Amino acid sequence: MEFSHNDNNLPLTKFESMLKTNHVLFFDSEEFENIIHHYLNQGKIALAKKAIKLGLDQHPTSINLKLFKVEVYVFEDKLDDADTLLNELYNLDPMNEELFIQKANIFSKKDEHQKAIDVLKKALELTDDAVDLYSLIGMEYLFLDQFEDAKTYFMKCLEEDLEDYSALYNIIYCFEFLNQHEDAIEYLNIFLDKNPYCEVAWHQLGKQYYTLKKYKKALTAFDFAIISDDTFVGAYLERGKVLEKLKRYEEAIENYTITLQLDDPTSFALLRIGGCYEKLNNDELALQYYDRTVHEDPLLDKGWIAITKYYNKKRNYQKALYYINKAINIDSENVLYWKLYSQINQRLNFYEEAERGFKKTLELGNYELNTWLSRGDLLIKLGEPEAAVYNFEQAIEFHPENAELEYRLAGLYFSLQENDKGTFYLKNALKHNEEYAFIIEELFPEVSNKILVKNLLKTNL
């Protein structure tokens, strides 16, 4: 039986008093089991180990107390010790299902999940209460990415207990991983026929419809989730998202606002409200909620990006720059921040800062073609042709045979009087895409007037 310090006249208080006084008192084996179970649930492993030792001193033949010892061994990754003790216990009580569960736990810890499943299936033959075993088997199948088998065993859990929402979530996870959204909908509808007031099932049904862009059906499902439990924050949030898709922004705001009243404000809800007000052209309230978003969660990139993009759209680039700088001060490794930083600086004609931002974006692993092109073009504008060449040559490693890069390299090499390399890249560029030949004239007007370049263009166009 589980207990807590609030219970009166129970062995736990007596046991802890004994530890303080060093006076050894007697407990029966079941009392020790309850004490150990309590400490394990609380994560107090040291106290659990003391209780196991004292328990085995008083009850040296207790298999259940020795099983707790196995459990602690497994927790501490002493798997060989756990295995040795389990083998001893198996010789004493080969029909004890808990032995098989702990054996499976050891296999699972060793990433031998199929062996764990085989052992758990043997345990099924020894038990009258299979629900926990079904769940354990389902989890092992998940570790193996065998989602159909996992789904089958979690469904068995739900057949035994309609309120096993952990199993329900795992079933839906399997359906989603397998992209079986229609099957998930069919399963949830059958489940809801048996349990029509299950808010979790209605919520999951709505999410499936949302994924399939069946927004009106999703809305109905979330309505039933709220009817089943009018304090269900998740259902209001999802309902708000659907209403946004249907462009019913005032109603979406109402749903998000309800979540702020039911629970502590979440940055997600505040951000969505801000977005809805922006769609309704209510700039003052949009900004107010964006500010609340970043105040609530300063590390949420979407909040800072929303404010920055808002000012960017309004062409208030100075304020956009102010906010993106604040964001970068909080998280200097965020690629999205640096991309926005570069774009804003470029619009303000702060080319050196813009180039620095694109360079940082590349250093953080964002190798999109536009990033290379933007940085290289800025280097050309800043009069750094050698650095631009190095940039574009790196880019070609990630985007081989790209005409936009090759035209730029051709223009740069011709401007650096390296005509052989210029010719090589210009011929390649023309071969891959003639339509981008205007790049030479646009970025390198002096080069485009060279007789060699004119002849190459004339010959190949």
Side-chain angles (χ1 to χ4, degrees):
M1 183 184 109
E2 186 57 52
F3 48 69
S4 70
H5 284 290
N6 296 325
D7 297 322
N8 295 319
N9 303 318
L10 283 170
L12 187 63
T13 306
K14 190 171 90 170
F15 178 78
E16 293 190 349
S17 297
M18 181 186 78
L19 292 179
K20 290 172 186 173
T21 60
N22 287 326
H23 292 149
V24 178
L25 304 174
F26 180 82
F27 299 84
D28 65 36
S29 61
E30 189 176 338
E31 287 174 326
F32 269 119
E33 288 172 32
N34 289 334
I35 291 165
I36 296 161
H37 187 66
H38 171 80
Y39 285 138
L40 289 175
N41 277 353
Q42 295 287 315
K44 297 177 178 177
I45 304 301
L47 285 171
K49 288 168 78 171
K50 282 183 182 178
I52 291 167
K53 184 181 183 307
L54 289 167
L56 285 170
D57 287 345
Q58 294 184 14
H59 306 280
T61 61
S62 170
I63 287 177
N64 285 345
L65 291 177
K66 288 179 180 178
L67 277 167
F68 277 121
K69 193 172 183 178
V70 171
E71 193 172 333
V72 170
Y73 277 145
V74 173
F75 178 81
E76 295 179 331
D77 278 332
K78 297 176 180 176
L79 302 183
D80 291 338
D81 292 336
D83 222 9
T84 301
L85 183 51
L86 269 180
N87 290 334
E88 291 173 14
L89 295 176
Y90 182 77
N91 290 331
L92 296 171
D93 187 6
M95 303 302 285
N96 188 325
E97 67 180 86
E98 189 62 33
L99 297 178
F100 291 88
I101 291 170
Q102 290 301 334
K103 186 76 171 177
N105 201 4
I106 292 169
F107 280 131
S108 187
K109 277 260 188 176
K110 292 179 177 178
D111 289 332
E112 296 179 1
H113 300 295
Q114 188 56 56
K115 287 183 180 178
I117 290 165
D118 295 340
V119 171
L120 289 168
K121 285 182 177 177
K122 287 179 185 174
L124 276 175
E125 299 167 10
L126 305 173
T127 187
D128 295 325
D129 183 13
V131 177
D132 288 343
L133 289 169
Y134 290 148
S135 180
L136 290 171
I137 294 169
M139 290 306 298
E140 294 300 322
Y141 276 124
L142 280 185
F143 287 132
L144 291 170
D145 290 344
Q146 294 180 15
F147 296 99
E148 287 291 355
D149 291 316
K151 192 169 48 168
T152 298
Y153 277 91
F154 289 128
M155 285 177 176
K156 289 176 185 284
C157 294
L158 213 55
E159 285 166 15
E160 297 288 332
D161 179 6
L162 284 176
E163 295 187 359
D164 186 350
Y165 296 147
S166 175
L168 181 58
Y169 282 123
N170 282 325
I171 291 164
I172 300 306
Y173 173 78
C174 292
F175 276 125
E176 287 181 341
F177 194 92
L178 295 165
N179 287 318
Q180 296 174 344
H181 300 291
E182 295 286 2
D183 292 342
I185 288 168
E186 185 180 348
Y187 178 81
L188 285 164
N189 277 317
I190 293 168
F191 176 81
L192 283 162
D193 285 340
K194 302 173 195 169
N195 194 0
Y197 294 101
C198 177
E199 71 279 7
V200 173
W202 283 115
H203 179 247
Q204 291 298 313
L205 182 62
K207 288 178 76 173
Q208 298 307 308
Y209 281 129
Y210 183 88
T211 300
L212 295 174
K213 299 183 179 179
K214 296 180 177 180
Y215 299 125
K216 290 186 178 176
K217 287 188 174 183
L219 200 61
T220 302
F222 293 132
D223 284 341
F224 278 113
I226 291 166
I227 290 167
S228 304
D229 178 3
D230 63 3
T231 65
F232 190 0
V233 170
Y236 288 107
L237 288 172
E238 295 294 338
R239 193 172 189 275
K241 283 168 61 180
V242 175
L243 289 163
E244 279 191 69
K245 290 291 185 184
L246 295 171
K247 301 191 186 320
R248 291 157 61 177
Y249 299 116
E250 292 94 342
E251 292 173 74
I253 290 167
E254 286 174 22
N255 279 264
Y256 294 135
T257 303
I258 290 169
T259 71
L260 304 182
Q261 296 159 357
L262 289 173
D263 204 350
D264 293 334
T266 64
S267 55
F268 176 83
L270 294 167
L271 180 64
R272 302 300 290 216
I273 293 171
C276 288
Y277 277 123
E278 190 173 348
K279 293 269 177 51
L280 292 167
N281 296 315
N282 190 330
D283 294 349
E284 188 178 336
L285 280 173
L287 276 176
Q288 183 182 316
Y289 277 93
Y290 289 151
D291 283 334
R292 284 183 66 185
T293 301
V294 295
H295 178 76
E296 187 68 34
D297 184 0
L299 298 179
L300 182 71
D301 59 353
K302 289 180 180 176
W304 293 107
I305 288 169
I307 297 176
T308 304
K309 283 186 172 178
Y310 170 84
Y311 282 118
N312 212 4
K313 192 168 71 176
K314 297 292 181 185
R315 299 188 180 182
N316 190 338
Y317 301 126
Q318 290 289 357
K319 276 204 170 180
L321 187 60
Y322 168 78
Y323 278 103
I324 204 63
N325 275 321
K326 285 189 75 167
I328 286 170
N329 286 336
I330 292 166
D331 181 5
S332 63
E333 303 297 298
N334 190 308
V335 169
L336 287 174
Y337 290 172
W338 284 106
K339 285 179 78 172
L340 277 170
Y341 172 88
S342 299
Q343 291 162 10
I344 294 161
N345 273 294
Q346 201 165 358
R347 287 187 175 121
L348 287 166
N349 297 327
F350 298 161
Y351 299 129
E352 288 183 3
E353 286 302 308
E355 187 275 324
R356 186 174 77 88
F358 284 125
K359 183 181 179 185
K360 183 68 177 176
T361 305
L362 292 167
E363 287 170 358
L364 291 170
N366 182 270
Y367 301 131
E368 292 174 3
L369 177 62
N370 279 340
T371 307
W372 294 105
L373 292 173
S374 298
R375 181 178 177 237
D377 289 351
L378 283 168
L379 287 167
I380 293 167
K381 194 170 283 191
L382 289 166
E384 297 185 37
E386 290 88 354
V389 166
Y390 182 66
N391 172 80
F392 291 130
E393 285 186 337
Q394 280 184 300
I396 275 191
E397 291 179 22
F398 295 95
H399 304 278
E401 300 183 357
N402 182 278
E404 289 182 84
L405 295 171
E406 289 169 331
Y407 280 116
R408 284 166 168 84
L409 278 167
L412 283 163
Y413 277 123
F414 279 124
S415 65
L416 292 168
Q417 309 304 320
E418 295 189 45
N419 291 342
D420 288 346
K421 288 183 179 178
T423 300
F424 170 79
Y425 278 110
L426 184 53
K427 284 182 175 179
N428 272 354
L430 288 163
K431 183 173 71 176
H432 293 134
N433 193 327
E434 294 177 358
E435 291 180 10
Y436 283 111
F438 68 87
I439 289 172
I440 294 290
E441 188 175 347
E442 193 172 286
L443 291 181
F444 311 98
E446 291 179 8
V447 167
S448 67
N449 288 323
K450 287 190 173 188
I451 294 171
L452 173 60
V453 174
K454 283 184 174 179
N455 287 338
L456 284 167
L457 290 169
K458 193 185 296 181
T459 303
N460 289 277
L461 284 177

